[in-house]
Amino acid sequence: MLDAQGQTVADALRRMNYRGVSDVRQGKYFMLTLDASIEENDATATEAAAKAEVDRIAREVLVNPVIEEYTFRLEA
């Protein structure tokens, strides 16, 4: 998808002689705070459950897959 705002920023950076940037993407982000309802003794299983839940939320609610992509990260 064309990212007009990102392209405008990239063009401005080139005009200002910034040479190390090959692409600029403008977007939005969401910060989700998960509660402790995903409780398991195994930290790996808990992290996997949290990743699965965030991925499901992104796919089903937050992202329009026709024009958007997403990535996410978990922080403690």
Side-chain angles (χ1 to χ4, degrees):
M1 176 179 149
L2 178 61
D3 179 0
Q5 188 171 0
Q7 186 61 49
T8 299
V9 172
D11 292 343
L13 291 173
R14 281 190 282 280
R15 284 192 307 273
M16 296 170 73
N17 292 320
Y18 289 97
R19 299 291 177 218
V21 179
S22 62
D23 188 37
V24 175
R25 302 293 296 174
Q26 185 276 331
K28 59 184 175 183
Y29 70 91
F30 298 92
M31 181 180 291
L32 304 175
T33 301
L34 303 177
D35 63 27
S37 65
I38 304 174
E39 291 189 25
E40 297 186 32
N41 293 331
D42 182 359
T44 303
T46 301
E47 183 175 339
K51 285 181 178 180
E53 185 69 356
V54 170
D55 187 57
R56 185 172 71 90
I57 291 168
R59 282 183 290 107
E60 295 178 4
V61 180
L62 301 177
V63 176
N64 177 346
V66 174
I67 61 171
E68 297 173 315
E69 297 177 1
Y70 70 94
T71 61
F72 66 88
R73 70 174 187 257
L74 300 179
E75 296 179 357

